[in-house]
Amino acid sequence: MNRAELERYIAEIYSTQGENPWAQSPTNTVFRHRHNRKWFALIMDIPREKLGLPGEEIISVVNVKCDPRLTSSFREEPGFFPAYHMNKAHWLTVALDGSADGEKLKFLLDMSYELTK
């Protein structure tokens, strides 16, 4: 799943649009619950090296909240990483370059949505 596909999926399933709250990072997009304003997903463009990947190219990723009992097992899967710039026990970073399984990402989005509502 790429960034555009993920944004369309979030809009369709969760009936919410992304917000870009940081002028210095205009491509960082936050998806929140309408009623409590808590984030359930954060899409960012970051250098690959921040995830321990080779190269300096920019990669789109999404951070999602995850049950801490599951984070380590997801990190063993291709395209799933310890959270970039967030609590690594409760959040995961998922690459949006096609390396992560799309159905697992959808499962994690549902979990993140439920954990933050």
Side-chain angles (χ1 to χ4, degrees):
M1 185 176 291
N2 65 35
R3 182 184 184 122
E5 292 167 337
L6 178 63
E7 289 179 352
R8 280 192 303 273
Y9 178 80
I10 290 172
E12 180 182 317
I13 299 300
Y14 305 105
S15 301
T16 187
Q17 297 297 314
E19 302 172 21
N20 302 92
W22 302 287
Q24 70 275 20
S25 301
T27 62
N28 290 359
T29 306
V30 174
F31 293 89
R32 306 174 189 255
H33 290 273
R34 283 183 284 182
H35 63 283
N36 68 10
R37 306 294 295 150
K38 287 186 179 182
W39 303 1
F40 65 92
L42 168 63
I43 299 177
M44 301 174 285
D45 293 328
I46 62 173
R48 292 175 55 86
E49 64 190 15
K50 298 289 185 183
L51 298 176
L53 297 171
E56 298 177 11
E57 298 87 15
I58 299 298
I59 185 172
S60 291
V61 299
V62 60
N63 281 357
V64 290
K65 192 160 189 175
C66 183
D67 184 320
R69 296 171 293 184
L70 300 176
T71 55
S72 62
S73 63
F74 272 103
R75 288 183 200 144
E76 295 174 11
E77 299 281 334
F80 295 86
F81 302 90
Y84 173 72
H85 212 55
M86 294 180 88
N87 182 306
K88 290 169 183 24
H90 296 275
W91 290 81
L92 287 170
T93 293
V94 183
L96 298 176
D97 63 354
S99 62
D101 181 274
E103 292 305 310
K104 289 179 182 176
L105 175 53
K106 291 175 183 179
F107 171 81
L108 284 169
L109 279 168
D110 286 340
M111 182 186 306
S112 186
Y113 190 85
E114 290 301 313
L115 289 171
T116 55
K117 71 177 189 181

